[in-house]
C-alpha cells in the first residue's frame, strides 16, 4: 500500500510540476509582449518640441520620454498630410496602392460608402487578434461610415471623432452644432459634430478637447491594466491642427510670443505635453510603464502659415520637401530601447506595422503585402535598417505630382513641375544645394526606382477637394511618364 501511495504521490507531484512549468512558460511569453502606446500629434512641426530644439515651446513631459528613449532624427511618415499618412500607418502600405492618396473630404456626398479599403487589414486588427486590448482615442479620418468605424477595424474601444479635425471648446462646438441642427441644416461641418464613444454620441463633453482626450487615455490605461493581456492604444491628438484654439491659462504662459498664431499654437502643444505627462503617470501608477513601448510622432510636417516651425527642414505640411513628411519621432521603452540616443538612419511609419506585430508575437494576415519592414533587429543594434533602400513620398497636385525619394545620404526631389534635383540630405538638411549635375547616375537610379514604385499605385477612390477629380481627368493624370522624366 505504502509503495502505491508513494508512486501516486510521485506521479501527482510530477504532473503538478509540469503544469507549473507550463504556466510559467505561458506567463513568460505573455510578459515579453509589451503594451504599445502610439501618441500621434496632428500637424506638429519637426522642431516644435523641446527634444528637437524648440526654444519657445517647453515640452518637459514629452522631452523626458524622448531623452530617456531614442530620438529618430530621420523618421518619415508616408504622406505629407493627414488622411493618407494615417492610412499608411494603419495598413503598412503606401496609401497610393489602395487609392487613398487624398484626404476623405469633410461633409461630402463623395464619402458615402467610402473609407480605407476593407481589403486592408489594419494593424490594430492584427494586435486585437493576438489578444491585445485595443483602443483608439481622438481623430480617426479613415472613413466616417459604419463599415469603416474604428470598432470594425480592430479597436475594442473608441473615443473621439471620425472626421479630419475638430473644434476644441465643447461649449462652442456643441452650441454651433445644435444651432445648425435646429435650423434644419442637413450637412454640418465635421469639426462641430458631437464626440462619440464606441458609436454612441457623448452628450455633454465638458473639457477642452486635448484635455478630454488625455483624460480618456488615462482611463483607458487604468482599465487596460486590469486585463491579463497587454494593450495597444492609439492616442491621436488633433492638436495643434487648426482651428488654433487654446485655453486662456495656457495662453498666459506664452505672453513672450508676439505672433498670435504662434502663441496659440504653442499653448496647444503645451496642452498635449500636459496630457502626455498624465498618461505617463497613469502608466507608472498601474505598473505598466516599464513594459510599454511608447512611440511619439506627428502625422505630417507643421503648417508654416498656422504657427508651426520645421526648421532646419525646408517647407512644411503638404510638401515633398523634408518639412512635409520628416516628423518629430521617438521610441521609449525602459531597458529595451536605448536611452539618451539619437537614431540617424531613415525609418518610416510604414515600418510600424511589421515591427509592432513582431513585438506582439502576432501573426500577419495571410498574403499581407507591406511597404515597410521589421526594423527592430537593426534598430536595437543601432544599425541602418535599410541601407541602399528607398523611401518615397508622392503628392498629386493640380495636373502634376511632387515626388521625393530618399536613399542613404541622398534625396531626389521634383516639385512644381521643375526639373529633378538631388541633395546630400545628411549635409544639406534644408535642401539648398542641387547636386544633380555632379551625380547624374545617382539621380537616374533613384528616379528609375521611384517610377517602378509608381506602377504599384491605383486610381484615387476619392479626391479632396472634389474639383480635383475634374482636373485629374482633364490632365490625364497621374502623368507618371512626365513626372519621371529627367530633363
Ligand atoms: Ca495632419
Amino acid at each position: 500500500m505504502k509503495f502505491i501511495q508513494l508512486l501516486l504521490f510521485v506521479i501527482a507531484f510530477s504532473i503538478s510540476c509540469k503544469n507549473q512549468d507550463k504556466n510559467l512558460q505561458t506567463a513568460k511569453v505573455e510578459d515579453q509582449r509589451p503594451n504599445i502606446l502610439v501618441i500621434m500629434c496632428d500637424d506638429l512641426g519637426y522642431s516644435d518640441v523641446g527634444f528637437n530644439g524648440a526654444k519657445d515651446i517647453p515640452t518637459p513631459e514629452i522631452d523626458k520620454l524622448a531623452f530617456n528613449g531614442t530620438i529618430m532624427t530621420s523618421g518619415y511618415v508616408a504622406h505629407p498630410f493627414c488622411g493618407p499618412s494615417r492610412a499608411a500607418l494603419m495598413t503598412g502600405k503606401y496609401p497610393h496602392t489602395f487609392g487613398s492618396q487624398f484626404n476623405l473630404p469633410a461633409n461630402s456626398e463623395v464619402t458615402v460608402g467610402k473609407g480605407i479599403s476593407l481589403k486592408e487589414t489594419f494593424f490594430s486588427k492584427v494586435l486585437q487578434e493576438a489578444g491585445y486590448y485595443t483602443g483608439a482615442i481622438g481623430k480617426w479620418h479613415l472613413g466616417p461610415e459604419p463599415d469603416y468605424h474604428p470598432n470594425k477595424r480592430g479597436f475594442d474601444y473608441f473615443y473621439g471623432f471620425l472626421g479630419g479635425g475638430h473644434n476644441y471648446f465643447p461649449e462652442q462646438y456643441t452650441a454651433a452644432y445644435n444651432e445648425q441642427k435646429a435650423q434644419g441644416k442637413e450637412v454640418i461641418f465635421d469639426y462641430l459634430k458631437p464626440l462619440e464613444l464606441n458609436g454612441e454620441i457623448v452628450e455633454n463633453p465638458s473639457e477642452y478637447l486635448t484635455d478630454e482626450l488625455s483624460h480618456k487615455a488615462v482611463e483607458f490605461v487604468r482599465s487596460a491594466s486590469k486585463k491579463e493581456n497587454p494593450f495597444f492604444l492609439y492616442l491621436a491628438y488633433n492638436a495643434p491642427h487648426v482651428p488654433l484654439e487654446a485655453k486662456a491659462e495656457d495662453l498666459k504662459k506664452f505672453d513672450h510670443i508676439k505672433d498670435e498664431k504662434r502663441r496659440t499654437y504653442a499653448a496647444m502643444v503645451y496642452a498635449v505635453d500636459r496630457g502626455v505627462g498624465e498618461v505617463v503617470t497613469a502608466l507608472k501608477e498601474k505598473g505598466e510603464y516599464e513594459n510599454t513601448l511608447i512611440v511619439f510622432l506627428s502625422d505630417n510636417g507643421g503648417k508654416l502659415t498656422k504657427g508651426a516651425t520645421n526648421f532646419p527642414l525646408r517647407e512644411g505640411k503638404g510638401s515633398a520637401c523634408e518639412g512635409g513628411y520628416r516628423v518629430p519621432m521617438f521610441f521609449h521603452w525602459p531597458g529595451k530601447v536605448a536611452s539618451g540616443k539619437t537614431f540617424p538612419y531613415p525609418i518610416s511609419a510604414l515600418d510600424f506595422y511589421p515591427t509592432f506585430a513582431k513585438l506582439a508575437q502576432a501573426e500577419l494576415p495571410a498574403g499581407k503585402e507591406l511597404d515597410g519592414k521589421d526594423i527592430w533587429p537593426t534598430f536595437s543594434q543601432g544599425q541602418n535598417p535599410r541601407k541602399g533602400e528607398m523611401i518615397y513620398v508622392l503628392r498629386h497636385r493640380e495636373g502634376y505630382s511632387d515626388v521625393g525619394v530618399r536613399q542613404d545620404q541622398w534625396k531626389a526631389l521634383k516639385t512644381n513641375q521643375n526639373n529633378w534635383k538631388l541633395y546630400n540630405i545628411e549635409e544639406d538638411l534644408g535642401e539648398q544645394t542641387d547636386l544633380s549635375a555632379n551625380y547624374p547616375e545617382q539621380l537616374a537610379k533613384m528616379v528609375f526606382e521611384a517610377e517602378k514604385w509608381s506602377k504599384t499605385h491605383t486610381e484615387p477612390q476619392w479626391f479632396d477637394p472634389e474639383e480635383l477629380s475634374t482636373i485629374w481627368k482633364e490632365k490625364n493624370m497621374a502623368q507618371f511618364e512626365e513626372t519621371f522624366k529627367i530633363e
Side-chain angles (χ1 to χ4, degrees), residues 17 27 37-38 66 112 121 133 138 201 207 235 303 310 312 414 483:
C17 281
L37 168 59
V38 174
V112 172
T121 308
Y133 177 52
I201 284 179
E207 292 190 283
L235 174 54
K303 195 164 182 172
N310 304 302
K414 184 177 176 70
T483 304

Side-chain angles (χ1 to χ4, degrees), residues 104-112 144 163-164 180 185-193 466:
L104 279 155
N107 301 331
S108 167
E109 287 182 6
V110 178
T111 55
V112 172
Q180 293 186 25
K185 209 172 164 191
E186 276 179 30
V187 176
I188 299 176
F189 190 38
D190 275 349
Y191 285 37
L192 303 176
K193 284 179 183 164
E466 287 164 52

Side-chain angles (χ1 to χ4, degrees), residues 161-322:
F161 50 94
L162 299 169
H166 211 277
N167 286 25
Y168 290 83
F169 290 105
E171 59 278 14
Q172 180 269 335
Y173 65 72
T174 307
Y177 179 81
N178 288 340
E179 195 186 316
Q180 293 186 25
K181 211 175 163 200
Q183 289 165 356
K185 209 172 164 191
E186 276 179 30
V187 176
I188 299 176
F189 190 38
D190 275 349
Y191 285 37
L192 303 176
K193 284 179 183 164
L195 303 182
E196 66 150 274
L197 166 65
N198 295 328
E200 300 289 328
I201 284 179
V202 176
E203 290 297 345
N204 288 307
S206 57
E207 292 190 283
Y208 175 70
L209 187 52
T210 301
D211 292 336
E212 179 93 8
L213 301 179
S214 300
H215 295 154
K216 292 298 163 189
V218 166
E219 273 175 30
F220 179 88
V221 166
R222 287 182 182 152
S223 62
S225 72
K226 295 187 189 123
K227 299 184 188 294
E228 271 182 42
N229 287 342
F231 68 78
F232 165 53
L233 176 59
Y234 171 55
L235 174 54
Y237 285 109
N238 60 315
H241 191 290
V242 292
L244 294 177
E245 295 178 347
K247 287 165 87 172
E249 63 193 80
D250 290 338
L251 278 169
K252 269 192 205 148
K253 296 189 166 34
F254 296 95
D255 280 343
H256 57 282
I257 299 180
K258 293 289 161 256
D259 181 86
E260 199 183 328
K261 282 182 190 164
R262 179 71 177 170
R263 192 188 320 134
T264 311
Y265 175 95
M268 293 168 83
V269 174
Y270 185 74
V272 170
D273 189 72
R274 168 173 60 239
V276 169
E278 289 169 14
V279 175
V280 167
T281 301
L283 288 169
K284 287 181 175 168
E285 270 171 15
K286 294 294 166 190
E288 302 286 351
Y289 178 74
E290 298 291 326
N291 195 37
T292 298
L293 166 65
I294 303 175
V295 174
F296 178 92
L297 78 163
S298 176
D299 69 333
N300 51 253
K303 195 164 182 172
L304 301 179
T305 54
K306 302 291 176 188
T309 309
N310 304 302
F311 183 83
L313 308 181
R314 183 171 150 196
E315 298 190 359
K317 178 178 183 178
S319 173
C321 295
E322 297 286 294

